[in-house]
Amino acid sequence: MPDHVPAPAGRRIALIAHDNKKQDMLEWAEYNLHLLAGHELFATATTGHLLQQQLGLPVTCFRSGPYGGDQQIGARIAEGEIDLLVFLWDPLEPHPHDPDVKALLRVAVVCNIPVACNRATADFMISSPLMSRSHQQWDPASGQARHHQAALKVAQAG
């Protein structure tokens, strides 16, 4: 899909924050409230309920991250049902569900969706003029990844 084609009316944005980053997520969402209001929001349980209660945002909530919420959002990304991921994760704390976190980040990268892991990147992403353009996600099963790899090899050889 060409990037000059207008984007759908709103993006589908997944919001996740580890415990030590929940306050950062609330502050970021409040700062960007007018931008977020035009989009469909998804979140893991605690993060989503905080955004609903504190800011009045409508949020579709999944399970808590350690109880499968990260995997639920990852599945939505794989199905092409999430357009952006804001995941404020805490790199300084160990997490028992770390394999789920890595799997979520992996699927987001494989499916070519924008990912922000800190407030600065999230600010750049949500305020980007590209938010109003269409963006093509990759479907690895469709062969796009193989085509991209072949094109990369040609570019490197040339």
Side-chain angles (χ1 to χ4, degrees):
M1 186 178 295
D3 66 359
H4 64 277
V5 175
R11 299 286 186 164
R12 299 163 299 184
I13 303 173
L15 305 169
I16 304 172
H18 280 156
D19 288 344
N20 290 343
K21 298 294 183 174
K22 299 255 191 263
Q23 188 60 40
D24 281 347
M25 178 63 81
L26 277 172
E27 291 171 8
W28 176 80
E30 183 175 25
Y31 181 78
N32 290 291
L33 192 60
H34 67 286
L35 293 173
L36 290 172
H39 302 284
E40 188 175 359
L41 305 177
F42 300 87
T44 48
T46 309
T47 301
H49 291 126
L50 280 171
L51 294 169
Q52 289 171 333
Q53 293 166 357
Q54 299 289 321
L55 303 177
L57 285 169
V59 181
T60 299
C61 295
F62 295 104
R63 292 177 180 226
S64 175
Y67 295 101
D70 296 337
Q71 291 178 338
Q72 288 177 302
I73 289 177
R76 290 281 181 112
I77 291 170
E79 294 297 325
E81 298 173 7
I82 298 289
D83 300 311
L84 293 95
L85 173 61
V86 176
F87 186 0
L88 303 183
W89 60 283
D90 185 354
L92 302 177
E93 288 292 321
H95 299 281
H97 65 293
D98 194 52
D100 295 341
V101 170
K102 287 180 178 167
L104 172 62
L105 293 171
R106 184 180 308 111
V107 75
V109 170
V110 167
C111 291
N112 198 37
I113 69 160
V115 179
C117 294
N118 60 41
R119 287 175 63 175
T121 306
D123 282 336
F124 274 82
M125 190 166 68
I126 195 79
S127 63
S128 170
L130 298 175
M131 286 290 290
S132 64
R133 292 186 187 172
S134 185
H135 172 75
Q136 185 172 359
Q137 295 180 356
W138 284 5
D139 178 0
S142 74
Q144 286 178 317
R146 287 187 300 278
H147 175 72
H148 177 70
Q149 288 171 347
L152 183 59
K153 285 181 184 177
V154 169
Q156 289 172 340

